[in-house]
Amino acid sequence: MHIDILTLFPEMFDGVLQNSIMKRAQEQGAFSHQYVNFRDYTENKHNKVDDYPYGGGAGLVLSPQPIFDSIQSIKDSAEKPPRVVLLCPQGEPYSQQKAEELSEEDHLVFICGHYEGYDERIRQELVTDEISIGDYVLTGGELGAMVVIDSVVRLLPGVLGNEQSAPMDSFSSGLLEHPHYTRPADFRGHKVPDVLLSGNHAKIDEWRHYQSLKRTFERRPDLLEGRELSAKEQSWLDEWKNS
């Protein structure tokens, strides 16, 4: 996978992309990335990439020309049209399912805005996906892009090392993940559940599924709405509701 990042502040990404799993993923060839500072494409004699909004109002709006031209430059050198993601509060709420969808792409482009917003023609003509990472507003799209890139890259083959890690994540199954424990078995009087020490993998799997469903019921019941439940899952839910 190749990722192009349109940003006025490329140095913000180095802490994320040049360390830990993201760094190893690039060294392994799982993905590559390139920063595109769209200020380099402006035709404005003062090197500006924004302007006042028509109709008045507070703040400045990103101008279409620099972003249109930088995207066109990327497309001109691409083998096929990339998926172009705009980070903005108005976008589709981000989810694990969206991360899995984007991880199937060969080429992603992220547009990180600043100021009051984007000229609407950027949305209409260039963008394939608008994504919001939550119902709040940040100073720019860079942090949102980092979140999405991290969540997508970790799903690429070989990145996590253990191929079972990603499918077991919270949200991948539609449920929150079960509790985890490691050594020691008794830490200051707090003991690991006996079932995890039993060696009975069928019982362990059942316990994990039970805990996963219970944690989802307690913390994110909205995730269970419309979910098709097995008879056993329904009996567990009835137990918790009546307790």
Side-chain angles (χ1 to χ4, degrees):
M1 173 184 285
H2 179 70
I3 298 174
D4 286 297
I5 304 167
L6 272 67
T7 173
L8 297 174
F9 305 99
E11 64 278 1
M12 289 181 65
F13 288 84
D14 287 344
V16 172
L17 299 182
Q18 299 303 323
N19 289 282
S20 188
I21 291 174
M22 295 296 107
K23 181 179 180 180
R24 291 200 301 271
Q26 292 173 84
E27 292 172 346
Q28 295 165 3
F31 88 106
S32 59
H33 76 279
Q34 172 178 284
Y35 302 129
V36 179
N37 190 330
F38 52 89
R39 193 181 299 279
D40 295 339
Y41 288 82
T42 183
E43 295 175 353
N44 182 279
K45 64 180 181 179
H46 300 296
N47 219 28
K48 288 180 60 179
V49 295
D50 55 3
D51 212 331
Y52 294 103
Y54 280 119
L60 297 167
V61 175
L62 285 174
S63 305
Q65 179 271 313
I67 294 179
F68 266 73
D69 286 357
S70 56
I71 291 287
Q72 188 59 54
S73 176
I74 291 170
K75 289 182 175 179
D76 286 345
S77 59
E79 294 183 3
K80 61 180 182 180
R83 192 122 167 213
V84 180
V85 178
L86 186 75
L87 282 305
C88 68
Q90 303 171 30
E92 168 191 352
Y94 194 52
S95 66
Q96 184 66 21
Q97 288 67 41
K98 189 69 172 183
E100 292 168 0
E101 177 187 330
L102 293 176
S103 73
E104 299 294 325
E105 298 291 331
D106 294 325
H107 189 179
L108 297 174
V109 177
F110 290 89
I111 304 177
C112 306
H114 261 72
Y115 314 116
E116 187 63 25
Y118 306 91
D119 185 288
E120 188 66 17
R121 289 162 291 191
I122 295 170
R123 302 178 192 272
Q124 294 172 338
E125 303 297 328
L126 299 179
V127 173
T128 59
D129 301 82
E130 292 187 48
I131 289 177
S132 166
I133 63 166
D135 294 338
Y136 47 85
V137 179
L138 299 169
T139 54
E142 283 78 10
L143 291 174
M146 292 177 204
V147 168
V148 177
I149 291 169
D150 183 282
S151 64
V152 168
V153 169
R154 67 188 301 277
L155 296 175
L156 299 178
V159 169
L160 293 183
N162 186 338
E163 295 303 317
Q164 294 302 311
S165 294
M168 294 297 291
D169 287 337
S170 290
F171 306 112
S172 291
S173 66
L175 301 174
L176 300 184
E177 198 170 7
H178 57 77
H180 292 277
Y181 295 88
T182 188
R183 290 178 288 185
D186 186 336
F187 178 68
R188 298 178 182 177
H190 301 282
K191 297 181 179 181
V192 172
D194 290 339
V195 65
L196 298 179
L197 306 175
S198 68
N200 187 326
H201 294 292
K203 289 290 186 182
I204 291 171
D205 287 344
E206 182 179 52
W207 179 88
R208 285 175 171 169
H209 186 56
Y210 177 93
Q211 294 295 333
S212 181
L213 188 67
K214 188 171 189 287
R215 182 159 286 186
T216 305
F217 170 73
E218 293 173 340
R219 302 184 182 189
R220 289 293 304 276
D222 56 294
L223 295 176
L224 298 178
E225 295 175 6
R227 180 183 176 87
E228 188 173 334
L229 301 172
S230 67
K232 179 172 285 188
E233 288 176 325
Q234 188 61 58
S235 70
W236 289 340
L237 281 179
D238 291 341
E239 170 193 333
W240 301 325
K241 289 177 181 177
N242 296 325
S243 62

